[in-house]
Amino acid sequence: MTTITTGGTQWADASGPGAGFTVSSVSTAPEPPVRGGSVTVTVSGTLTEGVSGGRTRTAVSYGIIAMADRTAALPAAEAGPYSATVAFDLPADGPTGSYVATVWFIDQNDAEIAAINITFTI
């Protein structure tokens, strides 16, 4: 698993074998994320097959403490270049330190097509 740093945020592709979405870039806004704020993550890459729907799931943790868990619709798209945006809120009373957000992309057949881990410090 290769880790790529963008600003103060690091991300790594955590997809399993045969993933249908090859991630090439991840960006967060704001950079770096802030306590009590909303974080928008944009993931870009290439779909090997089209998707007619599905969902994303984003889980944010501070160590073993769950800080956020959100599910959203995955828009339909043809095979080829693809970008998806997910958002989550960080609690205002969350501790300072290192956080990990994991984002899963799940297609209309309930198959995981990609997963990424994003690490950031507040």
Side-chain angles (χ1 to χ4, degrees):
M1 182 177 346
T2 302
T3 301
I4 299 169
T5 302
T6 306
T9 302
Q10 296 182 333
W11 67 273
D13 189 336
S15 303
F21 180 29
T22 304
V23 177
S24 58
S25 70
V26 175
S27 64
T28 59
E31 175 58 57
V34 295
R35 263 192 302 196
S38 182
V39 179
T40 301
V41 178
T42 302
V43 181
S44 299
T46 304
L47 283 171
T48 57
E49 295 181 10
V51 293
S52 61
R55 67 188 185 283
T56 62
R57 178 174 173 233
T58 306
V60 182
S61 62
Y62 174 80
I64 62 169
I65 302 168
M67 302 301 284
D69 198 330
R70 182 169 183 178
T71 301
L74 181 67
E78 299 291 325
Y82 183 68
S83 288
T85 301
V86 297
F88 58 89
D89 296 322
L90 292 171
D93 59 352
T96 57
S98 182
Y99 287 71
V100 175
T102 301
V103 182
W104 294 271
F105 295 85
I106 302 157
D107 72 8
Q108 68 280 354
N109 299 318
D110 210 30
E112 180 183 297
I113 58 172
I116 57 167
N117 291 325
I118 304 165
T119 304
F120 57 91
T121 302
I122 295 180

XYZ file of all heavy atoms in Angstrom:
855
model
N 0.850 -1.168 0.000
C 0.000 0.000 0.000
C 0.897 1.232 0.000
O 1.708 1.409 0.889
C -0.904 -0.024 1.235
C -1.847 1.112 1.283
S -3.046 1.151 2.660
C -3.048 -0.419 3.391
N 0.762 2.083 -1.002
C 1.540 3.305 -1.109
C 0.785 4.437 -0.443
O -0.404 4.611 -0.661
C 1.786 3.653 -2.590
O 2.450 2.565 -3.204
C 2.599 4.906 -2.733
N 1.489 5.229 0.371
C 0.892 6.377 1.021
C 1.337 7.636 0.294
O 2.515 7.816 0.023
C 1.314 6.451 2.498
O 0.891 5.251 3.156
C 0.701 7.649 3.190
N 0.386 8.493 -0.009
C 0.666 9.733 -0.725
C 0.263 10.895 0.163
O -0.807 10.888 0.772
C -0.106 9.774 -2.057
C 0.350 8.598 -2.927
C 0.093 11.106 -2.762
C -0.486 8.355 -4.133
N 1.141 11.894 0.267
C 0.871 13.057 1.096
C 0.455 14.228 0.224
O 1.104 14.535 -0.767
C 2.120 13.437 1.909
O 2.494 12.321 2.710
C 1.854 14.628 2.806
N -0.659 14.857 0.606
C -1.149 16.056 -0.061
C -1.359 17.093 1.025
O -2.257 16.945 1.845
C -2.484 15.785 -0.783
O -2.327 14.674 -1.651
C -2.935 16.991 -1.571
N -0.514 18.115 1.084
C -0.591 19.071 2.183
C -0.267 18.350 3.471
O 0.717 17.632 3.552
N -1.118 18.470 4.487
C -0.910 17.774 5.745
C -1.675 16.473 5.844
O -1.700 15.830 6.883
N -2.328 16.088 4.753
C -3.151 14.886 4.734
C -2.453 13.790 3.940
O -1.887 14.052 2.894
C -4.521 15.200 4.101
O -5.152 16.235 4.855
C -5.416 13.987 4.075
N -2.501 12.567 4.459
C -1.947 11.420 3.744
C -3.091 10.495 3.353
O -4.068 10.372 4.093
C -0.967 10.641 4.626
C 0.257 11.421 5.012
C 1.205 10.577 5.849
O 0.788 9.656 6.536
N 2.473 10.900 5.784
N -2.959 9.844 2.204
C -3.967 8.865 1.813
C -3.291 7.651 1.202
O -2.189 7.738 0.687
C -5.003 9.445 0.855
C -4.507 9.816 -0.507
C -3.962 11.005 -0.881
C -4.508 8.994 -1.676
N -3.631 10.973 -2.213
C -3.956 9.752 -2.728
C -4.926 7.682 -1.941
C -3.813 9.256 -4.019
C -4.782 7.182 -3.223
C -4.238 7.962 -4.243
N -3.985 6.517 1.335
C -3.478 5.261 0.783
C -4.650 4.479 0.211
O -5.742 4.462 0.781
C -2.782 4.445 1.859
N -4.424 3.838 -0.910
C -5.423 2.981 -1.524
C -5.486 1.693 -0.711
O -4.491 1.007 -0.544
C -5.034 2.696 -2.977
C -6.131 1.995 -3.753
O -6.983 1.328 -3.127
O -6.130 2.112 -4.978
N -6.652 1.378 -0.183
C -6.833 0.180 0.641
C -7.761 -0.817 -0.052
O -8.348 -1.681 0.598
C -7.396 0.581 2.005
N -7.893 -0.680 -1.368
C -8.791 -1.541 -2.142
C -8.293 -2.978 -2.164
O -7.093 -3.231 -2.167
C -8.887 -1.043 -3.585
O -9.319 0.291 -3.612
N -9.230 -3.890 -2.221
C -8.896 -5.302 -2.344
C -8.566 -5.647 -3.786
O -8.682 -4.818 -4.687
N -8.168 -6.900 -4.015
C -7.859 -7.331 -5.382
C -9.097 -7.233 -6.270
O -10.220 -7.464 -5.817
C -7.409 -8.781 -5.219
C -7.706 -9.167 -3.817
C -8.019 -7.942 -3.034
N -8.893 -6.862 -7.516
C -9.994 -6.774 -8.462
C -10.876 -5.562 -8.282
O -12.005 -5.539 -8.778
N -10.381 -4.543 -7.582
C -11.175 -3.330 -7.380
C -11.521 -2.708 -8.727
O -10.708 -2.685 -9.642
C -10.401 -2.336 -6.522
N -12.730 -2.213 -8.857
C -13.189 -1.659 -10.118
C -12.970 -0.170 -10.271
O -13.304 0.419 -11.298
N -12.414 0.475 -9.249
C -12.153 1.916 -9.279
C -10.710 2.119 -8.867
O -10.345 1.908 -7.716
C -13.124 2.637 -8.344
C -12.971 4.138 -8.258
C -12.491 4.889 -9.308
C -13.351 4.797 -7.104
C -12.382 6.275 -9.216
C -13.255 6.173 -6.994
C -12.766 6.919 -8.056
N -9.855 2.488 -9.811
C -8.442 2.736 -9.530
C -8.283 4.196 -9.144
O -8.490 5.092 -9.966
C -7.572 2.423 -10.762
O -7.817 1.068 -11.151
C -6.101 2.603 -10.456
N -7.935 4.446 -7.879
C -7.833 5.804 -7.354
C -6.472 6.396 -7.718
O -5.435 5.778 -7.493
C -8.032 5.805 -5.824
C -7.860 7.205 -5.259
C -9.399 5.229 -5.460
N -6.500 7.607 -8.277
C -5.243 8.268 -8.639
C -4.982 9.521 -7.809
O -3.834 9.932 -7.665
C -5.232 8.622 -10.125
O -6.328 9.454 -10.440
N -6.032 10.135 -7.238
C -5.813 11.308 -6.390
C -6.942 11.460 -5.381
O -8.075 11.042 -5.620
C -5.683 12.584 -7.227
O -6.911 12.933 -7.810
N -6.577 12.057 -4.254
C -7.525 12.340 -3.175
C -7.210 13.736 -2.660
O -6.046 14.062 -2.414
C -7.394 11.319 -2.023
C -8.299 11.694 -0.861
C -7.698 9.908 -2.507
N -8.237 14.564 -2.505
C -8.026 15.881 -1.911
C -9.065 16.115 -0.827
O -10.174 15.569 -0.884
C -8.104 16.982 -2.972
O -9.390 17.043 -3.534
N -8.684 16.901 0.176
C -9.605 17.252 1.246
C -9.731 18.767 1.318
O -8.794 19.499 1.011
C -9.124 16.731 2.622
O -7.844 17.274 2.914
C -9.067 15.227 2.659
N -10.906 19.220 1.710
C -11.133 20.638 1.934
C -11.979 20.768 3.194
O -12.983 20.076 3.308
C -11.833 21.268 0.738
N -11.571 21.579 4.154
C -10.342 22.365 4.118
C -9.107 21.485 4.312
O -9.215 20.342 4.744
C -10.505 23.330 5.284
C -11.367 22.587 6.261
C -12.301 21.749 5.407
N -7.971 22.035 4.000
C -6.691 21.336 4.159
C -5.818 22.154 5.094
O -5.405 23.240 4.726
C -6.022 21.173 2.794
C -4.634 20.581 2.815
C -4.555 19.218 3.458
O -5.241 18.300 3.037
O -3.794 19.102 4.430
N -5.560 21.719 6.288
C -6.008 20.472 6.899
C -7.427 20.605 7.466
O -7.900 21.712 7.687
C -4.997 20.264 8.035
C -4.628 21.655 8.456
C -4.643 22.463 7.178
N -8.101 19.469 7.717
C -9.418 19.501 8.349
C -9.342 20.154 9.738
O -8.286 20.155 10.375
C -9.780 18.014 8.474
C -9.000 17.366 7.377
C -7.702 18.122 7.339
N -10.472 20.718 10.182
C -10.518 21.402 11.479
C -11.644 20.843 12.346
O -12.680 20.405 11.835
C -10.692 22.926 11.310
C -9.484 23.535 10.619
C -11.953 23.264 10.543
N -11.415 20.871 13.646
C -12.441 20.439 14.608
C -13.705 21.259 14.437
O -13.653 22.457 14.227
C -11.933 20.642 16.037
C -11.371 19.435 16.637
C -11.149 19.597 18.110
N -10.260 20.729 18.368
C -9.646 20.938 19.490
N -9.829 20.117 20.494
N -8.865 21.953 19.651
N -14.837 20.588 14.518
C -16.116 21.267 14.423
C -16.508 21.658 13.009
O -17.542 22.279 12.806
N -15.716 21.277 12.040
C -15.993 21.655 10.660
C -16.416 20.478 9.813
O -16.296 19.317 10.196
N -16.905 20.815 8.634
C -17.248 19.801 7.651
C -16.031 19.560 6.771
O -15.303 20.498 6.446
C -18.420 20.291 6.801
O -18.800 19.313 5.874
N -15.794 18.314 6.412
C -14.669 17.939 5.559
C -15.239 17.354 4.269
O -16.102 16.480 4.306
C -13.759 16.900 6.249
C -12.605 16.512 5.344
C -13.258 17.427 7.588
N -14.762 17.849 3.153
C -15.158 17.325 1.850
C -13.962 16.607 1.248
O -12.867 17.168 1.189
C -15.617 18.461 0.916
O -16.718 19.129 1.525
C -16.039 17.909 -0.442
N -14.168 15.376 0.843
C -13.114 14.561 0.241
C -13.499 14.295 -1.210
O -14.597 13.817 -1.488
C -12.950 13.219 0.992
C -11.881 12.362 0.332
C -12.633 13.447 2.465
N -12.595 14.625 -2.121
C -12.812 14.347 -3.538
C -11.826 13.271 -3.971
O -10.619 13.415 -3.765
C -12.627 15.613 -4.395
O -13.546 16.608 -3.931
C -12.890 15.319 -5.862
N -12.365 12.193 -4.501
C -11.568 11.045 -4.933
C -11.698 10.925 -6.443
O -12.810 10.888 -6.972
C -12.058 9.753 -4.250
C -11.223 8.558 -4.669
C -12.053 9.912 -2.733
N -10.565 10.888 -7.139
C -10.569 10.790 -8.603
C -9.777 9.575 -9.045
O -8.832 9.160 -8.380
C -9.959 12.053 -9.217
O -10.705 13.188 -8.859
N -10.166 9.044 -10.184
C -9.476 7.883 -10.723
C -10.191 7.368 -11.945
O -10.825 8.142 -12.679
N -10.129 6.048 -12.139
C -10.712 5.433 -13.328
C -11.574 4.239 -12.946
O -11.123 3.359 -12.214
C -9.585 4.960 -14.275
O -8.751 6.074 -14.580
C -10.153 4.387 -15.556
N -12.800 4.232 -13.444
C -13.685 3.075 -13.288
C -13.386 2.090 -14.409
O -13.358 2.472 -15.577
C -15.149 3.494 -13.396
C -15.795 4.177 -12.204
C -17.174 4.700 -12.590
C -15.892 3.234 -11.032
N -13.166 0.829 -14.049
C -12.921 -0.182 -15.087
C -14.227 -0.651 -15.717
O -14.226 -1.117 -16.850
C -12.159 -1.398 -14.525
O -12.903 -1.942 -13.436
C -10.778 -0.995 -14.055
N -15.336 -0.525 -14.991
C -16.674 -0.844 -15.487
C -17.619 0.241 -14.999
O -17.399 0.831 -13.938
C -17.151 -2.192 -14.948
C -16.356 -3.382 -15.401
C -16.900 -4.690 -14.854
O -18.011 -4.697 -14.272
O -16.223 -5.708 -15.008
N -18.673 0.479 -15.756
C -19.662 1.459 -15.332
C -20.403 1.002 -14.077
O -20.463 -0.193 -13.770
N -20.940 1.963 -13.337
C -21.775 1.660 -12.173
C -23.124 2.337 -12.376
O -23.196 3.436 -12.924
C -21.133 2.119 -10.834
C -19.889 1.323 -10.529
C -20.821 3.592 -10.822
N -24.181 1.667 -11.962
C -25.515 2.245 -12.101
C -26.025 2.801 -10.775
O -27.146 3.270 -10.685
C -26.490 1.199 -12.646
O -26.592 0.105 -11.753
N -25.198 2.762 -9.779
C -25.565 3.268 -8.462
C -24.727 2.579 -7.410
O -23.721 1.943 -7.712
N -25.148 2.702 -6.186
C -24.423 2.110 -5.068
C -24.354 3.101 -3.927
O -25.211 3.981 -3.801
N -23.313 2.975 -3.123
C -23.183 3.864 -1.963
C -21.718 4.032 -1.588
O -20.872 3.239 -1.980
C -23.984 3.328 -0.786
C -23.448 2.034 -0.220
C -24.408 1.453 0.833
N -23.870 0.273 1.469
C -23.827 -0.933 0.930
N -24.281 -1.136 -0.295
N -23.320 -1.959 1.600
N -21.481 5.075 -0.831
C -20.186 5.252 -0.188
C -20.423 5.163 1.312
O -21.506 5.504 1.800
C -19.549 6.624 -0.505
O -20.402 7.666 -0.012
C -19.314 6.786 -1.995
N -19.423 4.692 2.010
C -19.479 4.680 3.473
C -18.187 5.303 3.958
O -17.095 4.934 3.505
C -19.609 3.277 4.029
C -19.606 3.298 5.564
C -19.868 1.956 6.194
N -19.669 2.104 7.635
C -18.883 1.332 8.355
N -18.247 0.314 7.797
N -18.740 1.547 9.644
N -18.309 6.264 4.854
C -17.153 6.943 5.421
C -17.175 6.750 6.937
O -18.169 7.066 7.587
C -17.186 8.454 5.105
O -17.309 8.619 3.690
C -15.930 9.138 5.598
N -16.095 6.205 7.480
C -15.960 6.016 8.922
C -14.712 6.774 9.368
O -13.639 6.603 8.788
C -15.835 4.542 9.267
N -14.869 7.617 10.387
C -13.764 8.426 10.902
C -13.494 8.003 12.342
O -14.417 7.869 13.143
C -14.102 9.930 10.860
C -12.933 10.765 11.353
C -14.519 10.348 9.460
N -12.211 7.786 12.643
C -11.868 7.378 14.003
C -10.658 8.140 14.519
O -9.819 8.627 13.764
C -11.590 5.872 14.055
O -10.487 5.561 13.237
N -10.622 8.234 15.834
C -9.482 8.771 16.570
C -9.000 7.598 17.418
O -9.641 7.237 18.402
C -9.920 9.951 17.451
C -8.839 10.467 18.359
C -7.853 11.321 17.886
C -8.806 10.103 19.705
C -6.854 11.793 18.717
C -7.818 10.575 20.539
C -6.846 11.414 20.049
O -5.859 11.882 20.878
N -7.944 6.947 16.969
C -7.534 5.702 17.627
C -8.637 4.674 17.440
O -9.077 4.422 16.323
N -9.122 4.123 18.548
C -10.216 3.145 18.463
C -11.584 3.783 18.690
O -12.596 3.099 18.692
C -10.011 1.978 19.471
C -10.003 2.490 20.907
C -8.750 1.208 19.136
C -10.063 1.402 21.949
N -11.608 5.094 18.840
C -12.859 5.804 19.107
C -13.497 6.242 17.790
O -12.894 6.988 17.018
C -12.610 7.037 20.002
C -11.961 6.611 21.316
C -13.913 7.790 20.253
C -11.427 7.753 22.136
N -14.720 5.788 17.540
C -15.457 6.199 16.334
C -15.919 7.642 16.512
O -16.531 7.986 17.517
C -16.643 5.289 16.105
N -15.608 8.476 15.525
C -15.971 9.891 15.592
C -17.091 10.247 14.614
O -17.821 11.203 14.832
C -14.750 10.767 15.315
C -13.581 10.530 16.262
S -13.971 10.802 17.998
C -13.984 12.572 18.078
N -17.207 9.516 13.520
C -18.256 9.776 12.527
C -18.426 8.528 11.669
O -17.477 7.779 11.455
C -17.889 10.974 11.652
N -19.638 8.326 11.184
C -19.932 7.214 10.277
C -21.075 7.679 9.383
O -22.139 8.022 9.884
C -20.328 5.965 11.057
C -20.224 4.704 10.220
O -20.405 4.779 8.987
O -19.962 3.636 10.801
N -20.817 7.706 8.086
C -21.811 8.268 7.174
C -21.908 7.433 5.900
O -20.900 6.986 5.370
C -21.412 9.695 6.826
C -22.396 10.366 5.925
C -22.135 11.815 5.808
N -23.183 12.382 4.982
C -23.284 13.633 4.713
N -22.415 14.470 5.194
N -24.250 14.070 3.962
N -23.131 7.268 5.419
C -23.387 6.573 4.164
C -24.076 7.551 3.216
O -24.941 8.318 3.639
C -24.280 5.341 4.400
O -23.621 4.476 5.317
C -24.538 4.594 3.107
N -23.674 7.516 1.940
C -24.276 8.394 0.929
C -24.395 7.631 -0.383
O -23.721 6.618 -0.589
C -23.412 9.644 0.744
N -25.225 8.138 -1.261
C -25.428 7.501 -2.572
C -24.185 7.669 -3.443
O -23.504 8.691 -3.393
C -26.629 8.120 -3.267
N -23.909 6.635 -4.235
C -22.832 6.679 -5.218
C -23.473 6.944 -6.579
O -24.284 6.145 -7.049
C -22.073 5.342 -5.242
C -20.905 5.241 -6.207
C -19.777 6.174 -5.775
C -20.387 3.798 -6.258
N -23.140 8.072 -7.208
C -23.764 8.389 -8.499
C -23.386 7.392 -9.592
O -22.282 6.859 -9.613
C -23.209 9.772 -8.838
C -22.639 10.306 -7.573
C -22.246 9.124 -6.749
N -24.308 7.161 -10.501
C -24.052 6.292 -11.655
C -23.024 6.941 -12.569
O -22.939 8.166 -12.651
C -25.350 6.053 -12.416
N -22.228 6.105 -13.239
C -21.208 6.615 -14.159
C -20.784 5.526 -15.123
O -20.864 4.339 -14.814
C -20.003 7.118 -13.379
N -20.340 5.947 -16.289
C -19.784 5.041 -17.294
C -18.344 4.692 -16.917
O -17.708 5.405 -16.133
C -19.792 5.718 -18.664
C -21.177 6.111 -19.158
C -22.030 4.907 -19.494
O -21.487 3.902 -19.984
O -23.253 4.960 -19.245
N -17.807 3.636 -17.498
C -16.401 3.298 -17.316
C -15.544 4.445 -17.844
O -15.927 5.129 -18.796
C -16.065 2.010 -18.065
N -14.402 4.663 -17.186
C -13.496 5.733 -17.599
C -13.193 6.656 -16.437
O -13.382 6.290 -15.269
N -12.719 7.876 -16.721
C -12.380 8.821 -15.651
C -13.598 9.080 -14.763
O -14.722 9.222 -15.257
C -11.969 10.087 -16.405
C -11.569 9.614 -17.763
C -12.452 8.427 -18.047
N -13.352 9.151 -13.456
C -14.458 9.283 -12.508
C -13.984 10.039 -11.271
O -12.858 9.842 -10.812
C -14.953 7.893 -12.103
C -16.140 7.879 -11.170
C -17.388 8.317 -11.594
C -16.012 7.420 -9.865
C -18.482 8.288 -10.738
C -17.102 7.384 -9.012
C -18.335 7.821 -9.456
O -19.411 7.796 -8.613
N -14.848 10.906 -10.758
C -14.598 11.594 -9.489
C -15.842 11.485 -8.632
O -16.962 11.575 -9.146
C -14.272 13.068 -9.714
O -13.011 13.225 -10.279
N -15.641 11.282 -7.357
C -16.749 11.224 -6.403
C -16.374 12.063 -5.196
O -15.202 12.149 -4.823
C -17.025 9.786 -5.981
N -17.375 12.685 -4.595
C -17.152 13.531 -3.430
C -17.959 12.990 -2.263
O -19.128 12.638 -2.430
C -17.573 14.982 -3.737
O -16.805 15.459 -4.845
C -17.338 15.886 -2.553
N -17.315 12.906 -1.116
C -17.995 12.526 0.122
C -17.715 13.610 1.155
O -16.725 14.331 1.049
C -17.541 11.140 0.655
C -17.878 10.044 -0.322
C -16.065 11.127 0.969
N -18.593 13.735 2.124
C -18.413 14.752 3.164
C -18.761 14.158 4.521
O -19.581 13.245 4.624
C -19.289 15.966 2.873
N -18.111 14.680 5.538
C -18.420 14.285 6.910
C -18.099 15.450 7.829
O -17.352 16.356 7.462
C -17.653 13.013 7.326
C -16.159 13.119 7.218
C -15.394 13.587 8.281
C -15.505 12.732 6.059
C -14.010 13.676 8.180
C -14.133 12.810 5.947
C -13.376 13.287 7.011
N -18.702 15.432 9.010
C -18.472 16.480 10.000
C -17.590 15.948 11.115
O -17.747 14.799 11.548
C -19.798 16.965 10.592
C -20.685 17.624 9.545
O -20.137 18.326 8.676
O -21.914 17.435 9.604
N -16.692 16.798 11.570
C -15.859 16.462 12.728
C -16.455 17.136 13.957
O -16.874 18.305 13.877
C -14.421 16.945 12.517
C -13.650 16.216 11.425
C -12.329 16.907 11.155
C -13.422 14.772 11.829
N -16.502 16.437 15.086
C -17.088 17.041 16.277
C -16.236 18.197 16.796
O -15.001 18.158 16.729
C -17.131 15.892 17.290
C -16.161 14.887 16.787
C -16.049 15.066 15.316
N -16.903 19.228 17.314
C -16.196 20.396 17.845
C -15.401 20.055 19.101
O -14.385 20.690 19.382
C -17.202 21.510 18.151
N -15.842 19.038 19.832
C -15.155 18.678 21.071
C -14.220 17.483 20.900
O -13.766 16.889 21.873
C -16.167 18.390 22.178
C -17.126 17.259 21.824
O -17.112 16.792 20.662
O -17.902 16.853 22.707
N -13.905 17.140 19.654
C -12.987 16.026 19.395
C -11.579 16.366 19.859
O -11.170 17.532 19.844
N -10.831 15.377 20.291
C -9.474 15.632 20.781
C -8.509 16.010 19.653
O -8.763 15.715 18.481
C -9.071 14.288 21.397
C -9.919 13.279 20.698
C -11.193 13.974 20.347
N -7.426 16.664 20.010
C -6.390 16.933 19.019
C -5.565 15.666 18.854
O -5.423 14.871 19.778
C -5.473 18.093 19.455
O -4.899 17.787 20.726
C -6.239 19.397 19.551
N -5.039 15.478 17.662
C -4.231 14.293 17.393
C -4.502 13.758 16.008
O -5.046 14.445 15.139
N -4.138 12.498 15.797
C -4.227 11.859 14.475
C -5.565 11.139 14.299
O -5.992 10.371 15.165
C -3.071 10.867 14.316
O -3.104 10.288 13.048
N -6.196 11.385 13.165
C -7.470 10.772 12.801
C -7.282 9.938 11.536
O -6.418 10.235 10.712
C -8.528 11.836 12.510
C -9.062 12.552 13.718
C -8.274 13.454 14.427
C -10.364 12.349 14.149
C -8.765 14.132 15.538
C -10.866 13.022 15.253
C -10.061 13.911 15.944
O -10.558 14.568 17.039
N -8.125 8.926 11.367
C -8.150 8.139 10.141
C -9.586 8.095 9.633
O -10.510 7.781 10.389
C -7.640 6.698 10.356
C -7.800 5.871 9.080
C -6.200 6.692 10.826
N -9.752 8.449 8.361
C -11.050 8.315 7.703
C -10.896 7.225 6.648
O -9.964 7.261 5.845
C -11.466 9.627 7.048
N -11.793 6.256 6.669
C -11.807 5.214 5.641
C -13.058 5.420 4.811
O -14.154 5.579 5.353
C -11.793 3.807 6.266
O -10.617 3.675 7.070
C -11.784 2.738 5.190
N -12.879 5.439 3.491
C -13.996 5.615 2.569
C -14.078 4.373 1.690
O -13.095 3.992 1.051
C -13.823 6.868 1.692
C -15.041 7.049 0.781
C -13.593 8.116 2.547
N -15.241 3.732 1.702
C -15.501 2.571 0.857
C -16.453 2.984 -0.253
O -17.411 3.714 -0.011
C -16.150 1.450 1.652
C -15.308 0.848 2.711
C -14.438 -0.196 2.585
C -15.269 1.224 4.092
N -13.852 -0.475 3.794
C -14.337 0.376 4.743
C -15.911 2.210 4.850
C -14.051 0.481 6.101
C -15.623 2.316 6.189
C -14.699 1.456 6.800
N -16.204 2.485 -1.457
C -17.087 2.690 -2.598
C -17.696 1.339 -2.933
O -16.968 0.377 -3.203
C -16.304 3.242 -3.798
C -15.745 4.609 -3.542
C -14.527 4.758 -2.908
C -16.448 5.740 -3.913
C -14.006 6.022 -2.648
C -15.935 7.000 -3.659
C -14.717 7.143 -3.028
N -19.025 1.260 -2.899
C -19.732 -0.007 -3.056
C -20.713 0.148 -4.212
O -21.519 1.085 -4.232
C -20.454 -0.374 -1.743
C -19.416 -0.451 -0.615
C -21.222 -1.670 -1.886
C -19.957 -0.258 0.762
N -20.640 -0.762 -5.189
C -21.480 -0.623 -6.387
C -22.892 -1.158 -6.164
O -23.255 -1.603 -5.068
C -20.805 -1.255 -7.609
C -20.774 -2.779 -7.581
O -21.396 -3.405 -6.699
O -20.111 -3.355 -8.462
N -23.685 -1.115 -7.235
C -25.088 -1.530 -7.193
C -25.265 -3.005 -6.861
O -26.344 -3.423 -6.439
C -25.776 -1.214 -8.533
C -25.297 -2.043 -9.713
C -23.978 -1.560 -10.333
O -23.440 -0.513 -9.968
N -23.457 -2.326 -11.277
N -24.211 -3.809 -7.013
C -24.262 -5.238 -6.689
C -23.740 -5.535 -5.291
O -23.501 -6.684 -4.949
C -23.454 -6.038 -7.722
C -24.021 -5.876 -9.114
O -25.230 -5.901 -9.309
N -23.153 -5.666 -10.080
N -23.529 -4.488 -4.503
C -23.021 -4.591 -3.140
C -21.570 -5.087 -3.102
O -21.134 -5.683 -2.130
C -23.915 -5.478 -2.279
C -23.883 -5.061 -0.814
O -23.694 -3.861 -0.532
O -24.021 -5.941 0.063
N -20.828 -4.836 -4.184
C -19.414 -5.217 -4.244
C -18.546 -3.977 -4.005
O -18.825 -2.904 -4.558
C -19.074 -5.820 -5.598
N -17.517 -4.131 -3.186
C -16.590 -3.026 -2.946
C -15.746 -2.806 -4.198
O -15.079 -3.715 -4.669
C -15.679 -3.356 -1.762
C -14.695 -2.259 -1.444
C -13.755 -2.649 -0.323
O -14.233 -2.883 0.812
O -12.547 -2.751 -0.599
N -15.798 -1.588 -4.732
C -15.002 -1.293 -5.920
C -13.761 -0.471 -5.582
O -12.858 -0.354 -6.414
C -15.835 -0.603 -7.024
C -16.449 0.701 -6.521
C -16.883 -1.558 -7.561
C -17.117 1.524 -7.621
N -13.698 0.091 -4.368
C -12.499 0.817 -3.929
C -12.620 1.112 -2.446
O -13.720 1.151 -1.883
C -12.313 2.112 -4.703
N -11.467 1.326 -1.832
C -11.403 1.772 -0.443
C -10.138 2.604 -0.287
O -9.101 2.279 -0.863
C -11.374 0.589 0.521
N -10.240 3.682 0.469
C -9.066 4.506 0.753
C -9.020 4.831 2.240
O -10.057 4.908 2.900
C -9.047 5.818 -0.066
C -10.321 6.636 0.194
C -8.846 5.563 -1.535
C -10.252 8.045 -0.323
N -7.811 4.976 2.747
C -7.580 5.437 4.115
C -6.966 6.829 4.035
O -5.994 7.030 3.295
C -6.631 4.514 4.869
C -7.240 3.163 5.154
O -8.428 3.053 5.403
N -6.439 2.136 5.097
N -7.519 7.753 4.784
C -7.020 9.130 4.820
C -6.606 9.424 6.255
O -7.386 9.221 7.183
C -8.125 10.121 4.393
C -8.660 9.750 3.001
C -7.599 11.551 4.429
C -9.960 10.421 2.666
N -5.384 9.881 6.433
C -4.870 10.207 7.764
C -4.614 11.706 7.831
O -4.012 12.268 6.913
C -3.552 9.449 8.033
O -3.787 8.058 7.851
C -3.068 9.688 9.447
N -5.095 12.327 8.906
C -4.883 13.770 9.076
C -4.768 14.069 10.561
O -5.197 13.281 11.418
C -5.989 14.588 8.415
C -7.382 14.262 8.889
C -7.963 14.927 9.937
C -8.097 13.236 8.271
C -9.239 14.618 10.375
C -9.384 12.911 8.688
C -9.960 13.609 9.743
N -4.186 15.211 10.872
C -3.994 15.627 12.261
C -4.754 16.912 12.518
O -4.736 17.826 11.691
C -2.491 15.832 12.554
O -1.813 14.613 12.292
C -2.261 16.253 13.985
N -5.394 16.933 13.668
C -6.121 18.143 14.095
C -5.397 18.698 15.305
O -5.010 17.988 16.196
C -7.585 17.819 14.451
C -8.288 17.361 13.204
C -8.245 19.013 15.071
C -9.733 17.002 13.410
